[in-house]
Amino acid sequence: MESVHCIVSGLVQGVGFRYFAYREATALALNGYAKNLYSGEVETYAEGSREALEKYIGRLKVGPRSAIVSSVKVTWGTAPGTVHGFNIA
């Protein structure tokens, strides 16, 4: 199991991005969370298989229809396995 921490920049707040991240993560059986940051970015953390996480990152780079994603900063790690389900904060 691996983990990925992403900071998504662009027009990503007020456009349903966290709910998009939730739907994509649950479809890929990932655990983690998505939350808005005061900077206007969205932070997301996910745990799962490398293959599923790579698909998730690819989907974050596109985002929902109303979003404009300018960048996704990705930090890989080892999953401690302490997160269950996917939450929107």
Side-chain angles (χ1 to χ4, degrees), residues 8-42:
V8 186
S9 302
L11 178 59
V12 293
Q13 288 191 12
V15 294
F17 199 95
R18 291 176 298 154
Y19 298 96
F20 170 82
Y22 169 83
R23 286 190 304 275
E24 297 300 325
T26 54
L28 294 166
L30 299 174
N31 296 313
Y33 66 84
K35 69 178 184 177
N36 285 338
L37 299 177
Y38 290 111
S39 62
E41 298 166 309
V42 170

Side-chain angles (χ1 to χ4, degrees), residues 45-63:
Y45 173 82
E47 297 180 351
S49 71
R50 178 80 181 207
E51 181 181 350
L53 291 169
E54 287 176 351
K55 287 179 184 177
Y56 179 66
I57 293 166
R59 293 174 185 174
L60 291 179
K61 289 180 178 178
V62 175

